């Protein structure tokens, strides 16, 4: 025996149609969701500083630079009060500070002409010493006017022995005022500050390596 299904009343079908039509109309009237905001990226740019000195037959290997925990990410850090740090939401460094600084210091040492060669850690080449470092500070200081870019780098120079001995370990700190309140101005100011640090590193490394060779020359 078949069970018959009573047809829906016409008013129920009509209300269903009106409900669907109203939902479609409402969806068309609602504002569309805005696309996600894209971040802006910044990098450091400056010409290799000129450093005077007699070229040495040394080949320096550049080791990967490290960074303090607060500066391991590409987010740009700023400070408005003591013991307080914050990151920008939509402004970032193009690369992590340690990678940018390590690359530029190696580039500047090579461009100085003070050494026979400057190679990266992955390059299969003989070297007489190695240079590495750590980013201790890398931020925008907004405490007072003008705002300033602050950078502090600690480097170490190792000889080619096994185990290696430390020939030089030193911290370099610089700050540079921002031309305006904007991350682009921070990148420009940080570039100037790093340029001065890089020149100082080149002079100090050259002086240490030159002094190490001096006794051997006097013995002859």
């Amino acid at each position: 025996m078949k069970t018959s299904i009573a047809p829906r009343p016409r008013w129920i079908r009509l209300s269903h149609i009106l409900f669907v039509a109203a939902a479609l109309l409402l969806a068309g009237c609602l504002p569309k969701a805005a696309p996600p905001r894209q971040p802006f990226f910044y990098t450091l740019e400056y010409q290799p500083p000129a450093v005077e000195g007699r070229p040495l037959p040394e080949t320096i290997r550049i080791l990967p630079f490290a960074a303090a925990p607060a500066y391991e990410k590409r987010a740009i850090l700023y400070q408005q009060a003591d013991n307080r740090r914050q990151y920008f939401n939509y402004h970032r460094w193009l690369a992590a500070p340690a990678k940018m600084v390590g690359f530029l210091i190696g580039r500047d040492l090579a461009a100085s002409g003070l050494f026979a060669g400057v190679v990266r850690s992955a390059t299969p080449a003989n070297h007489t010493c190695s240079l590495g470092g750590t980013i201790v500070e890398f931020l925008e200081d907004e405490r007072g006017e003008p705002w300033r870019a602050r950078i502090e780098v600690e480097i170490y120079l190792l000889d080619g022995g096994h185990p290696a001995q430390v020939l030089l370990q030193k911290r370099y700190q610089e700050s540079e005022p921002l031309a305006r309140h904007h991350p682009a101005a921070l990148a420009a100011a940080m570039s100037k500050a790093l340029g001065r640090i890089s020149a100082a590193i080149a002079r100090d490394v050259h002086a240490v390596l030159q002094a190490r060779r001096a006794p051997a020359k006097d013995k002859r």
Side-chain angles (χ1 to χ4, degrees), residues 129-158:
C129 54
S130 301
L131 178 76
T134 301
I135 309 304
V136 180
E137 192 172 52
F138 198 86
L139 56 76
E140 177 177 282
D141 189 349
E142 300 180 2
R143 297 173 300 171
E145 289 288 347
W147 292 2
R148 306 186 73 87
R150 245 183 27 233
I151 177 174
E152 185 175 354
V153 181
E154 182 178 45
I155 62 100
Y156 55 88
L157 181 68
L158 309 176

Side-chain angles (χ1 to χ4, degrees), residues 7-174:
R8 292 183 180 181
R10 181 178 300 175
W11 66 270
I12 294 179
R13 286 180 289 172
L14 180 61
S15 64
H16 180 72
I17 294 173
L18 292 176
F19 175 78
V20 173
L24 293 174
L25 181 62
L26 182 62
C29 294
L30 289 175
K32 296 182 179 179
R37 184 174 176 182
Q38 297 298 315
F40 296 90
F41 295 96
Y42 304 88
T43 189
L44 305 182
E45 294 178 339
Y46 64 91
Q47 292 298 318
V51 182
E52 296 182 357
R54 178 173 60 86
L56 300 175
E58 305 277 359
T59 298
I60 303 174
R61 179 181 63 166
I62 304 298
L63 301 173
F65 274 49
Y71 309 105
E72 291 177 342
K73 302 189 296 185
R74 291 190 298 160
I76 296 178
L77 197 70
Y78 64 95
Q79 179 180 8
Q80 294 179 324
D82 293 345
N83 302 318
R84 180 179 175 182
R85 308 288 189 276
Q86 290 177 274
Y87 292 108
F88 286 107
N89 291 326
Y90 301 105
H91 301 278
R92 301 174 188 170
W93 295 114
L94 189 61
K99 289 189 175 181
M100 288 194 297
V101 171
F103 172 83
L104 289 169
I105 289 176
R107 179 205 69 172
D108 296 346
L109 288 174
S112 70
L114 296 176
F115 312 100
V118 177
V119 298
R120 301 291 167 177
S121 59
T123 304
N126 292 329
H127 55 277
T128 53
C129 54
S130 301
L131 178 76
T134 301
I135 309 304
V136 180
E137 192 172 52
F138 198 86
L139 56 76
E140 177 177 282
D141 189 349
E142 300 180 2
R143 297 173 300 171
E145 289 288 347
W147 292 2
R148 306 186 73 87
R150 245 183 27 233
I151 177 174
E152 185 175 354
V153 181
E154 182 178 45
I155 62 100
Y156 55 88
L157 181 68
L158 309 176
D159 67 7
H162 298 281
Q165 294 186 353
V166 177
L167 301 176
L168 172 67
Q169 186 169 13
K170 186 175 179 179
R171 284 195 178 191
Y172 302 82
Q173 187 176 32
E174 283 284 350

